Amino acid sequence: MTTKSPEATLGQKHIQGATGPWEIVIGLEVHAQVSSNAKLFSGAATEFGAEPNSQVSLVDAAMPGMLPVINEYCVEQAIRTGLGLEAEINLYSVFDRKNYFYPDLPQGYQISQFKQPIVGEGEVHVDLADGTTSVIGIERLHLEQDAGKSTHDMHPSKSFVDLNRSGVALMEIVSKPDIRSSEEATLYMSKIRSIVRYLGTCDGNMEQGSMRADVNVSVRRPGEELGTRCEMKNMNSLRFIRAAIEYEARRQIDVIEDGGTIDQETRLWDAVNNVTRTMRSKEEAHDYRYFPDPDLLPLEFSQAWVDEIKSTLPELPDAKKARFISDFGLSPYDASVLVADKARAAYFEEVAEGRDGKLASNWVTSDLFGALKKVSKDISDSPVSAKQLGKLIDLIKDDTISGKIAKQVFAIMFETGGEPMAIVEEKGLRQVTDTGAIEAAVDEVIAANPDKAAEVKEKPKAMGWFVGQVMKATQGKANPQAVNEILRKKLGI
Ligand code: ADP
Ligand code: MG
């Protein structure tokens, strides 16, 4: 089978097969752990990285006779998330038992929501690199418990079970099969992460497994009915999601073009060999025998409560993006980069307030984000505060320093955390606007290069060389505009 073709078309809307173009169809089931100190049906703690089995109540361990009690805070977070996804909130929903056996599931069933979830249809807007925005439909969001964790590689003949995760509240956010490329899938996942972080309903930490996705992929020829899908479970890296989709789409196209058919199955992403492989086929798939959990009443709340929650929602990324475009004159791309993270957006806003928005955006997105990335620091640990970066921009605007010198000052600020003005004074970086000093430097350069000075009269474009020499002679501190004017005058052009 021919797989892993390197063609550049992967990640785009259509991929070319031997028999013509194909469309990839993707649907994501995102599991987002509710940011809550206590579990969904017990008061046990949920802290990440705790000693195994140290955060397990009798309910989580499924001791006989224990009864679940719904955690109202988790319900509120699910409603907040539903509102953030512009989704319908169901005032009446039902918890069901999803029955299956696994050693890390002591109850023998997971409490989930099946036919009547707490949140219904909604939508998410995804900004693509080509400047277009696609709308991905949300099918539903339901609340469910997480299972425990089994470890099979700590002992040659034993497996270990840690029930700390058992009973932790998850929101499962199910998309419609509206996603059409690996790029769109990762951007969708990032957008969901951005929204839940803005809302504070999930920390979005994919490495710790607080956010992970089941990725469903099928292919079809454009215009045809949906094809049979394969599902890759529990993916918690955007890079792997992207790679798995691209591999899987190509695999399915090759199978169909070779005259085969796709079996609906669960496949695993093998990150070592960069392939997906069969985990279980549909024939082996579970019949979960869902039924309403008799230990729990249906979940019912009032519209007034939903409205009250709605009134506390923060400004979300889409609204913030629109405001940054209109208030600060940013391009849609720059605005979407800035709003992706709440703390970054707040930082930018503090820098831009009362200043040139475009200039502020350039400094924040290129210089600051670039420098932070180099030292793997988060915006919250930035050595340069928003106030300081704002002051640096003021120094450029009032001609205290040139844009070029500002880069030097910024590097020192980033290194030392110092104040821009203090650095300018200490290092003597103040822009030279004194025309006498600039004239002297210009005279010196012209005197040292008479041939070039003669040449430049014929070829005025060559003046750039002189500008460079004068800037060098003044350690970059001369006001560039003044240098240009004086040179032009003295060279007679
Ligand atoms: P299940 O819960 O059994 O996995 P669902 O019908 O809830 O099944 O669908 C799960 C996910 O699969 C959804 O995100 C949906 O958008 C996606 N999906 C459904 N059909 C297809 C398809 N033909 N191709 C790709 N994704 C699909
Ligand atoms: Mg599924």
Side-chain angles (χ1 to χ4, degrees):
M1 192 163 51
T2 51
T3 45
K4 271 235 86 203
S5 32
E7 61 248 84
T9 48
L10 286 179
Q12 293 175 5
K13 298 263 161 184
H14 289 110
I15 26 181
Q16 199 57 38
T19 60
W22 292 83
E23 190 176 43
I24 314 182
V25 175
I26 305 156
L28 255 53
E29 296 158 274
V30 175
H31 295 264
Q33 180 180 329
V34 177
S35 293
S36 158
N37 295 329
K39 295 183 180 178
L40 184 55
F41 299 112
S42 85
T46 58
E47 208 175 306
F48 179 80
E51 229 359 69
N53 297 309
S54 63
Q55 300 179 157
V56 187
S57 76
L58 297 173
V59 174
D60 310 321
M63 289 296 150
M66 292 299 114
L67 288 173
V69 177
I70 186 76
N71 178 339
E72 182 178 330
Y73 182 78
C74 293
V75 174
E76 184 180 335
Q77 300 318 299
I79 297 171
R80 275 175 83 76
T81 307
L83 292 168
L85 300 173
E86 296 171 38
E88 211 179 301
I89 307 299
N90 296 325
L91 302 180
Y92 180 94
S93 64
V94 174
F95 285 106
D96 297 282
R97 289 187 182 180
K98 179 179 181 181
N99 299 283
Y100 63 99
F101 173 81
Y102 210 77
D104 58 26
L105 186 77
Q107 282 174 160
Y109 57 86
Q110 178 191 26
I111 305 177
S112 181
Q113 295 189 301
F114 187 48
K115 287 211 176 104
Q116 289 165 283
I118 182 167
V119 176
E121 293 187 332
E123 58 185 44
V124 169
H125 301 247
V126 174
D127 296 315
L128 300 170
D130 66 5
T132 59
T133 298
S134 43
V135 180
I136 310 298
I138 298 292
E139 181 71 44
R140 59 193 269 147
L141 175 155
H142 62 255
L143 271 170
E144 63 183 25
Q145 318 171 285
D146 205 351
K149 188 176 153 209
S150 304
T151 309
H152 306 291
D153 56 4
M154 274 168 64
H155 190 277
S157 59
K158 289 181 181 160
S159 285
F160 294 91
V161 172
D162 175 8
L163 292 181
N164 281 352
R165 289 195 78 101
S166 169
V168 163
L170 301 179
M171 299 178 282
E172 179 168 334
I173 303 165
V174 182
S175 86
K176 300 200 172 180
D178 287 350
I179 301 166
R180 289 291 174 273
S181 70
S182 57
E183 180 205 8
E184 206 169 75
T186 50
L187 289 170
Y188 166 81
M189 185 85 176
S190 305
K191 187 63 178 279
I192 298 263
R193 184 172 54 178
S194 169
I195 291 170
V196 294
R197 282 182 169 166
Y198 266 72
L199 294 165
T201 56
C202 167
D203 66 23
N205 191 328
M206 295 181 69
E207 274 145 54
Q208 293 182 358
S210 318
M211 217 175 126
R212 45 195 204 262
D214 298 345
V215 180
N216 297 270
V217 176
S218 67
V219 298
R220 67 174 172 189
R221 293 178 212 273
E224 280 185 354
E225 296 282 293
L226 289 183
T228 303
R229 71 190 152 106
C230 290
E231 179 176 21
M232 274 101 38
K233 282 201 175 284
N234 261 325
M235 307 212 55
N236 68 342
S237 140
L238 293 178
R239 194 159 57 83
F240 290 167
I241 289 175
R242 200 181 176 116
I245 290 171
E246 291 178 2
Y247 176 89
E248 184 56 21
R250 173 52 60 186
R251 183 191 72 84
Q252 293 181 14
I253 292 168
D254 289 344
V255 168
I256 301 170
E257 289 192 329
D258 285 350
T261 50
I262 302 301
D263 297 326
Q264 185 173 337
E265 59 183 4
T266 302
R267 298 177 69 85
L268 265 184
W269 173 244
D270 171 349
V272 177
N273 299 300
N274 289 321
V275 297
T276 62
R277 39 175 108 258
T278 303
M279 195 163 107
R280 57 171 186 258
S281 69
K282 201 190 177 192
E283 284 71 34
E284 301 163 49
H286 302 283
D287 177 351
Y288 294 115
R289 307 261 162 178
Y290 281 99
F291 65 87
D293 192 317
D295 289 341
L296 288 158
L297 289 168
L299 196 55
E300 264 189 286
F301 43 80
S302 67
Q303 183 60 42
W305 192 41
V306 176
D307 294 342
E308 195 185 310
I309 295 170
K310 192 169 191 172
S311 71
T312 68
L313 290 197
E315 180 184 40
L316 290 170
D318 289 344
K320 204 183 278 292
K321 180 184 162 195
R323 188 166 60 78
F324 280 7
I325 293 171
S326 71
D327 285 10
F328 298 115
L330 301 190
S331 70
Y333 177 79
D334 285 347
S336 64
V337 168
L338 284 165
V339 304
D341 179 78
K342 198 178 181 178
R344 287 179 167 212
Y347 186 105
F348 163 75
E349 204 164 353
E350 193 179 338
V351 175
E353 201 54 63
R355 299 192 175 92
D356 176 341
K358 190 77 198 140
L359 189 59
S361 156
N362 285 344
W363 274 95
V364 172
T365 55
S366 322
D367 299 87
L368 180 72
F369 290 175
L372 288 171
K373 195 168 177 194
K374 255 193 205 139
V375 296
S376 309
K377 270 196 177 157
D378 215 49
I379 189 93
S380 53
D381 305 317
S382 171
V384 177
S385 70
K387 212 180 215 127
Q388 290 171 326
L389 184 52
K391 283 191 206 156
L392 179 67
I393 292 173
D394 291 341
L395 293 180
I396 305 170
K397 277 286 172 189
D398 69 11
D399 283 334
T400 305
I401 52 174
S402 67
K404 206 158 170 197
I405 289 289
K407 306 271 175 193
Q408 277 181 46
V409 176
F410 176 79
I412 299 168
M413 288 164 72
F414 198 85
E415 187 78 29
T416 65
E419 288 295 325
M421 195 59 204
I423 293 168
V424 168
E425 296 296 5
E426 189 192 310
K427 306 267 174 195
L429 293 172
R430 203 176 252 284
Q431 179 157 250
V432 178
T433 41
D434 164 16
T435 44
I438 298 175
E439 274 189 36
V442 167
D443 286 342
E444 223 169 274
V445 172
I446 292 176
N449 301 280
D451 300 353
K452 281 218 160 73
E455 254 173 57
V456 105
K457 288 202 177 68
E458 315 294 317
K459 263 198 324 181
K461 268 197 182 151
M463 198 180 85
W465 183 83
F466 278 94
V467 175
Q469 293 302 304
V470 175
M471 291 309 271
K472 207 160 150 191
T474 58
Q475 286 104 45
K477 290 183 288 187
N479 176 300
Q481 220 173 323
V483 171
N484 271 284
E485 267 165 36
I486 295 168
L487 266 174
R488 209 164 272 134
K489 196 173 72 196
K490 301 238 172 194
L491 289 168
I493 47 176

